[in-house]
Amino acid sequence: MSEHKKEFEPVIVAFTCEHCAYAAADLAGLSKMHFPPNVRTIRLPCTGKVDMLYILRAFELGADGVFVAGCLKDQCHYVDGNYKAEARVMFLKKVLDALGFGGDRLEMYFMSSAMSDKFVEVAHEFTERIRRLGPTPFFKRRSEVLAK
Ligand code: FES
């Protein structure tokens, strides 16, 4: 009997703004557009609410990748929440790179509520990116530290 190696299925957490990306994901679902079930969406009133600790906590709890999806630039309902989120994501990407964790495991996207096709495209592309990167190194690192 041959053994088949099971393909790695990444766990992806998506912090989404309810005015745009969350609504776009909802529209994609209503339109029966297929996107990977790997993506777990978390609804926020605005991506400006995304704290860096939320992102780190998602990784700590086992996410292999995290993305933040907010309104189109200059269309945030709270003026500049998406710009604040983008700045936090860009900073954290550098931190993750410096730690050897991989900044590519984190990304920021912008879309409107009508852009269900964009949400689907992002979900597919990001899932494939994380699949190529492999499982999160966090648990391996943690077990290495605890073993010392
Ligand atoms: Fe959507 Fe601010 S209201 S990102």
Side-chain angles (χ1 to χ4, degrees):
M1 194 165 88
S2 66
E3 236 181 79
H4 296 282
K5 192 176 175 188
K6 201 175 169 204
E7 190 175 20
F8 163 58
E9 286 300 337
V11 173
I12 292 165
V13 172
F15 291 104
T16 58
C17 162
E18 68 179 355
H19 295 285
C20 53
Y22 187 85
D26 208 21
L27 180 59
L30 286 171
S31 309
K32 305 211 181 306
M33 297 168 81
H34 173 74
F35 62 89
N38 310 62
V39 179
R40 277 78 158 169
T41 54
I42 294 177
R43 177 180 175 177
L44 296 172
C46 170
T47 54
K49 183 79 180 84
V50 175
D51 192 292
M52 285 193 265
L53 288 177
Y54 294 179
I55 295 171
L56 292 174
R57 186 82 172 130
F59 281 122
E60 186 188 17
L61 291 173
D64 300 295
V66 175
F67 72 81
V68 179
C71 295
L72 293 170
K73 290 193 172 180
D74 300 323
Q75 292 186 20
C76 171
H77 293 234
Y78 299 92
V79 184
D80 58 359
N82 51 359
Y83 282 103
K84 287 176 178 163
E86 183 182 34
R88 291 174 196 143
V89 166
M90 292 306 135
F91 175 77
L92 260 186
K93 281 170 74 72
K94 288 180 188 164
V95 171
L96 294 174
D97 269 335
L99 293 173
F101 191 82
D104 284 348
R105 291 184 181 276
L106 175 63
E107 204 56 76
M108 175 88 201
Y109 298 100
F110 303 92
M111 63 190 73
S112 74
S113 59
M115 296 169 75
S116 51
D117 51 343
K118 167 88 175 182
F119 184 87
V120 169
E121 183 186 311
V122 162
H124 278 291
E125 283 182 10
F126 195 73
T127 300
E128 278 316 303
R129 181 201 292 190
I130 302 302
R131 192 172 274 135
R132 280 194 303 276
L133 289 173
T136 173
F138 183 83
F139 292 111
K140 187 169 171 256
R141 293 260 165 85
R142 184 166 61 182
S143 58
E144 283 170 1
V145 169
L146 292 175
K148 289 182 182 175

